[in-house]
Amino acid sequence: MNNRRNFIKTAAVASVAVALNSFSSKPEEEIIAPRKGRKPIVLSTWRFGIEANAAAWEVLKKNGSALDAVEAGVKIPEGDPKERSVGYGGRPDRDGRVTLDSCIMDEQANIGSVACLEYIKHPISVARAVMEKTPHVMLVGDGALQFALSQGFKKENLLTEESEKEWKEWLKDSKYKPIANIENHDTIGMIALDASGNLSGACTTSGMAFKMHGRVGDSPIIGAGLYVDNEIGAATATGHGEEVIRISGCHLVVELMRQGKSPQKACEEAVARIIKLTKNRNKELKDIQVGFIALNKQGEYGSYCIQGGFNYAVNDETGNRLIDAEYFLK
Ligand code: ASP
């Protein structure tokens, strides 16, 4: 993804005074300025969330469902070969194979997921087909591909010339070290609240660039990379999937909102959990990036990440803007 570090701040961000390092016990109102709730509303990770939100908004503004909105939204970066961390044009694994991970969840807790899926440009739509047309919730690898083909999805080469060139360059030293916020991994996670007050979410990625073949991150795992509870709220994640899975990240964020935390505070506490475990495991925090975004049933939202550099897009009736997430490591 280009210009990740050139943040395009298109809107003022609500000022959020976060009690860093302490994740303190102060009452929430003292720490966080509440963000006004609205519906419909859609949120998604990273700069490509702007275009994705715009597509989702087309559905939401016509009173369409959050489910249709999130599928339509994430298909934008999935289909764009210039976006090198999602769908077509995504960076391959270390064997040169583009393997995609996606999941989707609706307001009735219907879920569908595919992992390590090759040759299909829109894994999110295959995940939706798993949800709607099979008795299962997750298909992987060749089984996912065979299912997609049986549903009429087209088999295509997803490895673009650019991604192949980069992979060949990488092969020269073959050092696999996922680095936070450089241009080698990102995911689009999208969560939406529609005009009827229903929540849904979608998450899709090509995962860590040059990963081991068969590696699956958090993104297609319901509860890790995405979770929706229509009574409470929804959350999605980006960053080092191994760390998100370790804490069942997005399920945790939603459960924290169930306990009464604001979306902002819930994201902060989930990040705090990762930080604590990282320290306990004597791992370096500076090598890890995880970002969460969350939305509650009232249309209030928040986000938090470990390191600066993560941004997310929010679209409601006031417009579509990119916001720099608050972060822990100053
Ligand atoms: N979470 C994704 C994964 O671990 C990658 C990312 O969002 O950067 O596969």
Side-chain angles (χ1 to χ4, degrees):
M1 202 172 9
N2 300 322
N3 300 325
R4 169 64 41 70
R5 290 183 184 279
N6 300 335
F7 302 130
I8 319 153
K9 239 184 176 171
T10 54
V13 178
S15 90
V16 178
V18 177
L20 287 173
N21 295 316
S22 64
F23 296 99
S24 87
S25 50
K26 280 188 195 170
E28 192 173 311
E29 311 65 62
E30 285 177 45
I31 303 171
I32 302 298
R35 289 178 168 133
K36 198 166 174 278
R38 295 175 195 276
K39 72 175 190 207
I41 181 168
V42 56
L43 266 67
S44 54
T45 53
W46 299 111
R47 180 194 50 75
F48 46 35
I50 288 284
E51 291 85 24
N53 279 0
W57 189 252
E58 285 303 307
V59 177
L60 292 173
K61 76 178 187 198
K62 294 176 197 139
N63 295 333
S65 72
L67 180 66
D68 288 342
V70 294
E71 183 188 7
V74 303
K75 282 175 81 170
I76 302 297
E78 274 189 346
D80 184 347
K82 292 191 299 306
E83 298 302 356
R84 314 283 301 288
S85 55
V86 178
Y88 174 48
R91 291 180 181 84
D93 65 18
R94 64 193 197 182
D95 299 341
R97 297 163 73 162
V98 180
T99 66
L100 305 176
D101 298 337
S102 270
C103 73
I104 194 157
M105 183 162 190
D106 75 8
E107 76 283 357
Q108 292 179 306
N110 293 310
I111 54 178
S113 162
V114 288
C116 210
L117 172 64
E118 294 179 81
Y119 306 115
I120 304 290
K121 205 181 246 179
H122 290 297
I124 197 65
S125 299
V126 185
R128 184 165 177 176
V130 170
M131 175 171 94
E132 292 176 341
K133 299 188 176 152
T134 80
H136 306 302
V137 299
M138 186 170 197
L139 293 177
V140 305
D142 192 51
L145 175 61
Q146 293 314 321
F147 169 70
L149 297 175
S150 77
Q151 296 298 306
F153 289 88
K154 208 166 95 211
K155 189 168 178 179
E156 291 173 79
N157 172 31
L158 303 182
L159 185 64
T160 55
E161 239 172 70
E162 274 208 318
S163 284
E164 187 172 9
K165 212 166 107 201
E166 217 180 296
W167 168 63
K168 287 193 169 147
E169 203 46 48
W170 176 83
L171 278 179
K172 291 181 185 159
D173 344 299
S174 304
K175 272 204 203 104
Y176 178 61
K177 186 168 193 277
I179 301 170
N181 283 355
I182 70 158
E183 315 303 325
N184 74 349
H185 63 92
D186 294 316
T187 293
I188 182 139
M190 176 178 275
I191 45 185
L193 177 67
D194 63 28
S196 316
N198 285 321
L199 289 157
S200 288
C203 187
T204 181
T205 190
S206 49
M208 295 284 182
F210 320 128
K211 61 196 174 187
M212 288 175 71
H213 180 64
R215 180 266 185 191
V216 173
D218 59 317
S219 308
I221 300 187
I222 296 291
L226 176 73
Y227 200 69
V228 175
D229 182 321
N230 205 42
E231 288 179 6
I232 305 297
T236 189
T238 183
H240 292 93
E242 287 74 5
E243 307 311 318
V244 180
I245 293 171
R246 204 182 307 286
I247 62 156
S248 300
C250 289
H251 185 259
L252 175 62
V253 171
V254 171
E255 288 306 301
L256 289 164
M257 291 194 283
R258 190 191 308 281
Q259 291 166 18
K261 307 273 189 261
S262 67
Q264 177 65 35
K265 187 71 180 159
C267 292
E268 287 170 21
E269 287 210 18
V271 166
R273 192 81 60 96
I274 293 174
I275 291 168
K276 188 165 173 238
L277 294 183
T278 305
K279 287 183 179 157
N280 291 350
R281 294 166 57 243
N282 294 321
K283 303 279 182 203
E284 287 277 0
L285 197 54
K286 69 171 176 39
D287 294 336
I288 299 176
Q289 172 67 311
V290 169
F292 292 104
I293 61 174
L295 173 66
N296 69 14
K297 187 77 178 164
Q298 291 69 49
E300 295 161 340
Y301 60 89
S303 174
Y304 200 63
C305 58
I306 297 175
Q307 325 214 10
F310 169 51
N311 48 19
Y312 64 106
V314 178
N315 199 159
D316 58 18
E317 68 198 3
T318 67
N320 193 5
R321 63 268 186 198
L322 199 62
I323 297 177
D324 290 344
E326 290 290 322
Y327 56 96
F328 176 79
L329 272 186
K330 297 287 179 189

